[in-house]
């Protein structure tokens, strides 16, 4: 099962929004939100909450791909997120997420008994390529007690 298939199977919001996981690697994830009238806002584009969920889901795909082998000793948690809506989004939108720290550095902090934090930057784009939003999610790996 791919990371995307696993997230669709286990995360109800990803399934509800019909998110499509196009690429998932430890450093990058690309996720698409299809154009769906049920999730439109008052101007006919994807609702801000749906775009937030799209971007957060792309960041989560990286966390699973990069740190899935650490799940027996740590729990991944989103610490904070900031999003900026730049342009009107219409139609389908795609989120591209990028890991902001080397995996080895994060794991080394976990090995040292620390609770590492790492940012994931996400761009949300319309089908024409225009950036409609930018988001950063800071994640942590909380060591199991």
């Amino acid at each position: 099962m791919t990371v995307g298939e696993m997230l669709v199977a286990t995360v109800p919001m990803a399934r509800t929004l019909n998110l499509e996981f196009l690429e998932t690697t430890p450093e990058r994830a690309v996720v698409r939100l299809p154009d769906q009238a049920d999730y439109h806002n008052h101007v006919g584009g994807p609702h801000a909450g749906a775009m937030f969920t799209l971007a957060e889901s792309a960041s989560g795909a990286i966390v699973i791909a990069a740190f899935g082998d650490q799940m027996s000793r740590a729990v991944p948690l989103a610490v904070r997120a900031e999003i900026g809506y730049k342009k009107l989004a219409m139609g389908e939108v795609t989120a591209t997420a990028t890991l902001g720290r080397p995996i080895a550095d994060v794991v080394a902090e976990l090995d040292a008994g620390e609770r590492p934090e790492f940012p994931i930057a996400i761009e949300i784009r319309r089908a024409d390529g225009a950036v409609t939003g930018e988001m950063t999610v800071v994640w942590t790996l909380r060591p199991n007690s």
Side-chain angles (χ1 to χ4, degrees):
M1 183 179 286
T2 68
V3 169
E5 290 168 341
M6 182 189 71
L7 288 171
V8 169
T10 60
V11 179
M13 281 302 294
R15 197 169 45 254
T16 297
L17 290 176
N18 299 305
L19 298 182
E20 300 168 4
F21 290 81
L22 307 176
E23 177 185 338
T24 54
T25 71
E27 291 86 20
R28 176 180 149 98
V30 180
V31 184
R32 180 172 43 227
L33 172 66
D35 187 22
Q36 302 165 90
D38 287 346
Y39 305 112
H40 282 178
N41 58 21
H42 62 289
V43 294
H47 190 278
M51 289 193 299
F52 184 99
T53 301
L54 166 70
E56 193 275 341
S57 296
S59 75
I62 288 179
V63 172
I64 299 301
F67 303 108
D69 61 340
Q70 304 300 318
M71 299 303 158
S72 64
R73 67 182 184 139
V75 175
L77 298 168
V79 175
R80 63 187 168 277
E82 183 174 338
I83 191 165
Y85 300 100
K86 306 295 184 184
K87 290 186 177 190
L88 184 61
M90 299 299 282
E92 74 176 33
V93 289
T94 302
T96 301
T98 307
L99 181 61
R101 287 188 62 201
I103 295 167
D105 291 356
V106 174
V107 172
E109 286 181 20
L110 188 61
D111 289 343
E114 298 173 22
R115 184 175 169 167
E117 289 189 0
F118 50 96
I120 297 178
I122 307 103
E123 282 190 339
I124 304 168
R125 294 180 180 270
R126 297 187 305 225
D128 68 2
V131 175
T132 63
E134 295 174 334
M135 183 171 172
T136 300
V137 180
V138 175
W139 286 82
T140 189
L141 296 178
R142 185 189 72 201
N144 295 336
S145 299

